[in-house]
């Protein structure tokens, strides 16, 4: 039996309280308990970036983080970007540049980009490539993704 | 896969953490960034009845410079080390390495202490920390003790850490004049990494360490002796000295490289690291 823990967090801007078993992974908590299916489970070993979410602004692999670790944190998934007034600027840039093909990797790439721009609003092309090198696009549409992010650099 | 069920503890003080580790010593692991431990537990390659989460003990994250020593808390993340102005200024080789480990997500969560304690054979930081002659401070209910980073890892996933010990911090003497870590990465894993360190004190021996090749980091004594006797000289004899060190290592074929190819890469990164320190010396 795992220990059970009461956690409170901000999930896409809304307060959430839940009881989670210690061994619950954040990816399962988000997908199964909160129906946030923009969080993709793929490699399950922190290599592909499809399950990327922001925890207190930092990009993390939700496949390899415990839900209990999110206690007290602010968690943002792709569903938390944009709003009634339209898409987030990063989403707009990906659309404008056609920076997606099948779309499976796109939430992870967009959230990784959010994290990059939060700490470095004017990344060089080299910095963009370095930062996004941990996100994999199996359609191999990297060129347009990099161009989309470059268009956001101030 | 899911990790097997376990009991999670989240102490907020070091005293509390030490007590928990002692109480559950038979089946406990300290838990930090989880980037390696959780992977191993998901694969059911490692199982613990108790995890003691150290992340809410803020003093374990501190980075301080005390005179000639740089002190890095075991819970400092790779990203925090890469972005730390004091480390960038005093040890740019370490800041640069931590800024290029794995990917941005692993760097945001993974810690330098966890990296050392997990002792994954392909981990880069233990190689550089051994070459820098870092000292590790461990604590348990029995008190504190210090272990040289060069003595800490004894095999694949094996260290001298006792089951109830917590790694507190890494103390790095700032005695190097030139430091370089060079590596070759295939996919997302380092296939060979070498660190070369030339001390400010001309009488202190140069240090050349190799990692990600055998089961754990090792010194290259013939290379060190050659550099000591022939400072600044990059010749065939140096290559032969490195090759003779590497010939003595037990290197296995794996999915990333054959043993022969890995020996070749090991020689190459060792030459590159030493060459870079020679260039730094010439500029100094």
């Amino acid at each position: 039996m795992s220990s059970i823990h009461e956690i409170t967090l901000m999930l896409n801007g809304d307060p959430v309280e839940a009881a989670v078993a210690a061994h619950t992974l954040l990816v399962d908590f988000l997908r199964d308990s909160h129906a946030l299916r923009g969080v993709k489970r793929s490699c399950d070993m922190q290599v592909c970036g499809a399950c990327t979410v922001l925890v207190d602004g930092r990009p993390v692999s939700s496949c390899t983080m415990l839900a209990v670790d999110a206690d007290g944190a602010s968690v943002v998934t792709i569903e938390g970007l944009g709003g009634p007034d339209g898409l987030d600027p990063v989403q707009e840039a990906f659309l404008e540049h056609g920076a997606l093909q099948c779309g499976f990797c796109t939430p992870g790439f967009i959230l990784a980009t959010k994290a990059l721009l939060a700490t470095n609003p004017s990344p060089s092309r080299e910095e963009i490539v370095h930062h996004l090198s941990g996100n994999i696009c199996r359609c191999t549409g990297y060129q347009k993704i990099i161009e989309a992010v470059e268009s956001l650099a101030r | 896969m899911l990790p097997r069920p376990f009991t999670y503890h989240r102490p907020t003080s070091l005293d509390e953490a030490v007590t928990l580790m002692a109480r559950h010593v038979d089946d406990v692991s300290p838990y930090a960034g989880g980037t390696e431990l959780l992977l191993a537990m998901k694969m059911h390659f490692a199982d613990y009845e108790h995890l003691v989460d150290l992340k809410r003990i803020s003093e374990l994250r501190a980075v301080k410079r005390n005179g000639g020593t740089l002190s890095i808390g075991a819970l400092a993340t790779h990203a925090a080390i890469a972005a730390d102005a004091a480390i960038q200024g005093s040890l740019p080789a370490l800041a640069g390495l931590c800024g290029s480990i794995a990917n941005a997500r692993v760097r945001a969560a993974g810690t330098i202490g966890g990296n050392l304690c997990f002792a994954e054979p392909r981990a880069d930081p233990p190689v550089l920390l051994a070459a820098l002659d870092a000292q590790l401070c461990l604590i348990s209910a029995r008190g504190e003790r210090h272990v040289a980073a060069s003595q800490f890892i004894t095999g694949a996933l094996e260290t001298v850490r006792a089951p109830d010990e917590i790694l507190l911090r890494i103390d790095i003497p700032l005695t190097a004049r030139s430091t370089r870590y060079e590596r070759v990465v295939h996919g997302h894993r380092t296939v060979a990494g070498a660190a070369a360190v030339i001390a400010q004190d001309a009488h202190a021996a140069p240090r050349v360490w190799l990692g990600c090749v055998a089961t754990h980091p090792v010194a290259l004594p013939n290379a060190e002796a050659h550099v000591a006797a022939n400072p600044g000289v990059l010749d065939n004899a140096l290559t032969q000295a490195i090759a003779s060190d590497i010939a003595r290592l037990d290197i296995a074929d794996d999915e990333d490289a054959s043993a022969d190819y890995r020996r070749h890469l090991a020689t190459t990164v060792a030459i590159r690291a030493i060459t870079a320190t020679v260039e730094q010396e010439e500029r100094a």
Side-chain angles (χ1 to χ4, degrees):
Chain A
M1 276 279 287
S2 266
S3 51
I4 306 290
H5 303 267
E6 298 286 335
I7 62 170
T8 62
L9 62 148
M10 293 298 284
L11 180 52
N12 291 332
D14 296 323
V16 166
E17 288 183 26
V20 295
H23 69 296
T24 305
L25 298 169
L26 184 61
V27 64
D28 296 319
F29 176 74
L30 295 172
R31 286 180 58 88
D32 299 346
S33 302
H34 293 276
L36 297 167
R37 305 281 157 70
V39 186
K40 307 298 184 192
R41 173 175 238 140
S42 184
C43 76
D44 219 15
M45 53 192 298
Q46 306 168 101
V47 170
C48 77
C51 71
T52 302
V53 299
L54 301 181
V55 176
D56 291 334
R58 294 175 300 122
V60 304
S61 297
S62 59
C63 73
T64 310
M65 176 172 166
L66 300 177
V68 68
D69 276 324
D71 189 20
S74 168
V75 176
V76 174
T77 71
I78 193 69
E79 291 87 348
L81 298 193
D85 300 330
L87 295 174
D88 184 274
V90 178
Q91 293 171 309
E92 288 284 5
F94 271 61
L95 266 184
E96 256 172 50
H97 288 81
L100 62 158
Q101 291 180 51
C102 82
F104 189 83
C105 70
T106 310
F109 265 102
I110 287 176
L111 290 164
T113 301
K114 291 289 288 180
L116 170 65
L117 296 174
T119 54
N120 181 1
S122 24
S124 65
R125 187 183 176 86
E126 192 185 359
E127 287 170 330
I128 293 168
V129 169
H130 176 64
H131 182 82
L132 295 180
S133 65
N135 288 72
I136 293 173
C137 167
R138 283 290 79 141
C139 308
T140 68
Y142 295 107
Q143 193 63 29
K144 289 179 184 297
I145 293 170
I146 292 161
E147 285 168 11
V149 182
E150 275 186 309
S151 77
L152 294 159
R154 276 189 267 123
Chain B
M1 282 209 293
L2 282 180
R4 293 207 174 93
F6 56 86
T7 299
Y8 169 86
H9 306 270
R10 186 197 284 157
T12 52
S13 74
L14 191 55
D15 282 351
E16 199 187 336
V18 167
T19 304
L20 284 164
M21 293 292 291
R23 185 181 304 153
H24 302 297
V25 61
D26 289 340
D27 202 354
V28 67
S29 175
Y31 168 52
T35 55
E36 296 180 288
L37 179 66
L38 289 182
L39 269 192
M41 291 178 71
K42 278 163 55 167
M43 288 150 63
H44 299 180
F45 170 73
D47 277 308
Y48 295 98
E49 188 66 33
H50 297 271
L51 291 193
V52 175
D53 186 359
L54 305 176
K55 290 194 289 295
R56 307 285 166 125
I57 306 172
S58 56
E59 67 195 84
L60 291 180
R61 289 182 189 283
V63 174
K64 290 180 207 150
R65 183 163 173 183
N66 303 318
T69 302
L70 180 70
S71 199
I72 303 177
L75 271 276
T77 62
H78 304 307
I81 292 169
D84 188 280
I87 301 177
Q88 287 171 351
S90 56
L91 260 182
L94 180 64
L97 171 59
C98 288
S100 62
I101 287 172
N103 58 53
R105 299 177 307 280
V106 169
R107 293 193 291 274
T111 67
I112 187 127
N115 187 289
L116 279 163
C117 291
F118 199 79
E120 211 280 328
R122 305 288 172 252
D124 299 289
V127 192
L128 179 55
L129 293 171
L132 288 166
D133 201 18
Q135 302 294 311
L136 311 184
C137 181
L138 299 137
I139 191 168
S140 69
R142 298 177 298 284
E144 287 187 14
R145 69 174 178 128
H146 295 84
V147 179
S150 58
Q151 307 285 316
F152 185 66
I153 300 177
T154 52
L157 311 178
E158 285 174 11
T159 72
V160 298
R161 185 183 70 83
D164 60 345
E165 279 184 314
I166 294 170
L167 176 58
L168 279 183
R169 64 173 194 275
I170 299 138
D171 293 327
I172 306 171
L174 295 173
T175 50
R177 189 165 58 200
S178 302
T179 303
R180 182 67 157 233
Y181 184 70
E182 283 283 338
R183 63 179 184 162
V184 172
V185 177
H186 283 192
H188 57 278
R189 278 152 60 95
T190 300
V191 186
V197 176
I198 309 291
Q200 291 156 12
D201 177 355
H203 302 294
R207 292 170 73 94
V208 182
W209 277 69
L210 179 72
C212 311
V213 167
T215 54
H216 60 293
V218 290
L220 300 183
N222 292 340
E224 289 174 338
H226 186 274
V227 174
N230 311 274
V233 178
L234 302 167
D235 56 7
N236 269 339
L238 173 63
T239 307
Q240 282 161 14
I242 294 168
S244 68
D245 284 323
I246 292 170
R248 281 203 293 267
L249 302 178
D250 189 13
I251 301 174
D253 293 333
D254 71 10
E255 67 274 26
D256 290 320
S258 66
D260 282 348
Y261 182 44
R262 190 166 242 128
R263 280 199 172 83
H264 165 76
L265 292 178
T267 308
T268 301
V269 291
I271 291 170
R272 285 182 187 166
I274 294 166
T275 302
T277 55
V278 167
E279 287 168 358
Q280 287 175 38
E281 292 287 292
E282 285 168 357
R283 278 197 301 273

